Amino acid sequence: DGGITQSPKYLFRKEGQNVTLSCEQNLNHDAMYWYRQDPGQGLRLIYYSQIVNDFQKGDIAEGYSVSREKKESFPLTVTSAQKNPTAFYLCASSKGPGQQDYGYTFGSGTRLTVV
Amino acid sequence: EDKVVQSPLSLVVHEGDTVTLNCSYEVTNFRSLLWYKQEKKAPTFLFMLTSSGIEKKSGRLSSILDKKELFSILNITATQTGDSAIYLCAVTMNYGGSQGNLIFGKGTKLSVKP
């Protein structure tokens, strides 16, 4: 079955460490996205990529980095520069600009906690 | 600035009640409005609306868009405890570097009590 897989489901990070969240899709979608969700804040866009080897900053990109070396994969690194990284992170994909007839497909999320 | 505003932010009802969730938007070059239901983890797609006045229905859920007044409503009739979730509204636009990106509202947290 096609879908998006995020791993791990839960992640604990010590202050000052970088961590990488994995996101893999087998839907043959061109576009992939990372969102952060905090209570009462809805979903806020961190980074997005509409094509391999290209990505753009979203609304809250500071302290994060991404890569898009393969169509299927869009890992997110939470760096030590992110001052408040504890949150729920959602990865999503869509067919691409102008083709998102049914919106996004979401992964199950990664809950990151700084300890 | 493009924005999507949902109301209320939270709502508590009893089983059997009917609820109406609101979503208003201010975006340039509107393309579509989507509703998602988020229970524990991944939001799941409910509806996509592009045309005014055409109701979309799925079981006890229905939604309609008013492009003149820039809002949409999501109705849930005869609510059940399984309807308890966060309901997210999102909008897409037709142009620009962020074409295809969804702009989300903050969500409405619905709690249905037995």
Side-chain angles (χ1 to χ4, degrees), chain A residues 33 37 50 101 104 107-108, chain B residues 36 38 42 48 99 101-102:
Chain A
Y33 311 83
Q37 188 174 31
Q50 293 176 340
D101 289 346
Y104 293 2
S108 294
Chain B
Y36 287 87
Q38 185 181 24
M48 186 187 74
Q99 179 188 16
N101 292 357
L102 291 176

Side-chain angles (χ1 to χ4, degrees), chain B residues 4-51:
Chain B
V4 176
V5 179
Q6 292 186 245
S7 64
L9 292 181
S10 67
L11 188 56
V12 180
V13 300
H14 289 93
E15 272 192 316
D17 289 348
T18 293
V19 298
T20 298
L21 310 183
N22 303 294
C23 177
S24 64
Y25 61 91
E26 290 180 30
V27 300
T28 44
N29 209 346
F30 170 89
R31 175 186 173 90
S32 63
L33 184 144
L34 298 99
W35 285 97
Y36 287 87
K37 177 182 181 182
Q38 185 181 24
E39 293 181 79
K40 295 283 188 192
K41 301 282 178 69
T44 53
F45 173 81
L46 293 175
F47 298 110
M48 186 187 74
L49 304 157
T50 56
S51 300

